Amino acid sequence: MTAALPKRRAADIAYDVIESMLATLELQPGSAVVEADLVQRTGLGRTPLREALLRMVAAGLIRQEPRRGLRVSDVQLADHLDLIQTRRALEQLIAAAAARRATPQQREQILACATGMIHAAQGGDLDEYMQADQRLDHVCHDACRNASAVNAVEPLIIQCRRFWYAYQHEGDIVEGARRHMAMAAGIAAGDTEAATAGADLLMDYLEAFTRKVIDA
């Protein structure tokens, strides 16, 4: 039986919910972010939502404008290749650390999440694919035990998801799932070279996707 994921803080859950709303463009770039509206739409409390929003502002995903309040930041096409280059280095570091440090339970969870991505991609279920991707990130980040790398990569991941969702007609989620599985299998096996190579393959996929969008 696959072990359950550990219980998470209310603020972390709120962060995930807002992340999903940003990534799927439910919160559109440039749109106002109203705390009371988020409380009503998500059913979450004001305190965890406020903490999550502050983290989003610090990461540049939401901007605070004088006299206008909070607004969703724009999707920057021109800067996206630089973002992926930065994310590549962090993902390689995280994958290698997770391969060394993951517990047996985490290795099992990592494979289960990647398998969920494969099944969702094959079934064409984009929402489940994105949720499984989010779960995979959480376990890998916990397993690597490098808070500095995780804090640096999280906003980049959200920007990539948002970019991918905005231009998903150019993407191939089956291939994306396969690349995630290559990284997950390396981590689960405790093979740092395979894990790093898998992370590199995943970033190659995202870079090729971005270039396809730019050239379209």
Side-chain angles (χ1 to χ4, degrees):
M1 179 181 293
T2 301
L5 296 178
K7 188 174 181 180
R8 309 184 70 238
R9 295 171 56 244
D12 293 332
I13 293 170
Y15 188 90
D16 287 350
V17 170
I18 298 173
E19 173 190 331
S20 295
M21 295 173 79
L22 289 171
T24 60
L25 305 183
E26 185 178 344
L27 289 175
Q28 288 282 336
S31 65
V33 179
V34 181
E35 186 180 295
D37 179 52
L38 287 176
V39 169
Q40 184 176 17
R41 290 166 70 175
T42 66
L44 297 170
R46 287 181 179 272
T47 299
L49 278 171
R50 187 172 296 129
E51 183 178 333
L53 288 172
L54 288 173
R55 286 172 60 189
M56 293 284 183
V57 170
L61 296 162
I62 292 174
R63 62 181 188 269
Q64 184 146 21
E65 299 181 344
R67 297 181 298 278
R68 296 185 68 191
L70 300 179
R71 289 193 174 272
V72 179
S73 63
D74 295 327
V75 176
Q76 300 294 339
L77 179 60
D79 299 335
H80 204 69
L81 286 173
D82 289 340
L83 184 152
I84 290 173
Q85 184 179 22
T86 304
R87 183 180 168 188
R88 184 187 294 271
L90 290 166
E91 291 288 3
Q92 290 173 335
L93 174 64
I94 289 168
R100 291 193 305 271
R101 298 170 176 171
T103 65
Q105 181 184 43
Q106 287 170 331
R107 296 181 198 280
E108 180 184 351
Q109 290 167 348
I110 285 166
L111 275 182
C113 291
T115 300
M117 291 187 73
I118 294 283
H119 291 162
Q122 290 173 341
D125 189 337
L126 182 59
D127 288 340
E128 178 54 35
Y129 176 87
M130 299 293 272
Q131 290 168 19
D133 186 17
Q134 191 180 63
R135 291 193 294 269
L136 176 61
D137 285 338
H138 289 326
V139 187
C140 289
H141 292 172
D142 288 343
C144 82
R145 287 182 257 167
N146 185 332
S148 295
V150 170
N151 290 337
V153 84
E154 279 184 339
L156 305 184
I157 290 173
I158 299 174
Q159 294 283 32
C160 283
R161 285 200 180 114
R162 198 162 63 136
F163 183 92
W164 192 92
Y165 221 96
Y167 299 101
Q168 61 181 284
H169 55 282
E170 300 286 355
D172 179 352
I173 62 173
V174 173
E175 182 61 22
R178 190 181 72 81
R179 304 287 180 108
H180 280 87
M181 177 56 82
M183 181 182 70
I187 295 172
D191 186 333
T192 57
E193 289 188 6
T196 301
D200 213 30
L201 280 173
L202 177 57
M203 293 303 104
D204 286 345
Y205 164 78
L206 292 178
E207 182 175 332
F209 168 72
T210 302
R211 291 189 185 279
K212 188 175 180 181
V213 171
I214 291 172
D215 294 340

